[in-house]
Amino acid sequence: MNFTTYKQKIGENIRYRRIRYNLSQEGLEKLTGIHRITISQIERGKKNVSLRYLCLLPEILNIEITDLFK
């Protein structure tokens, strides 16, 4: 996989988990402090995920960090 593919896969997995837990982007924003526009960009693979967010999101979504790459 190339970098763009990883970005898209991570975004898809974040979106999948967010919806699975019945969270809106605004709800995830409240839990993480990540602006909803940034969440949208990450979910669409348009924005790089910072290391800080890469560590924070799995904790909030109750998953392992490796689940973001599957």
Side-chain angles (χ1 to χ4, degrees):
M1 264 194 246
N2 64 36
F3 180 72
T4 301
T5 305
Y6 275 117
K7 250 188 355 183
Q8 291 171 337
K9 182 53 91 175
I10 289 168
E12 289 169 4
N13 284 324
I14 290 169
R15 182 174 190 274
Y16 170 79
R17 296 297 177 144
R18 177 181 60 75
I19 291 170
R20 185 173 175 205
Y21 288 112
N22 201 29
L23 282 172
S24 64
Q25 290 177 342
E26 291 83 2
L28 189 56
E29 176 183 27
K30 288 178 184 175
L31 292 173
T32 62
I34 303 169
H35 196 277
R36 68 170 182 78
I37 292 173
T38 301
I39 292 169
S40 174
Q41 291 171 332
I42 290 170
E43 288 181 349
R44 291 180 290 123
K46 302 296 181 189
K47 185 170 183 81
N48 293 335
V49 183
S50 71
L51 181 56
R52 177 178 175 223
Y53 296 161
L54 199 57
C55 294
L56 176 64
L57 286 164
E59 184 178 322
I60 297 295
L61 297 172
N62 198 31
I63 59 174
E64 298 294 324
I65 195 169
T66 55
D67 292 335
L68 294 177
F69 297 91
K70 293 179 181 176

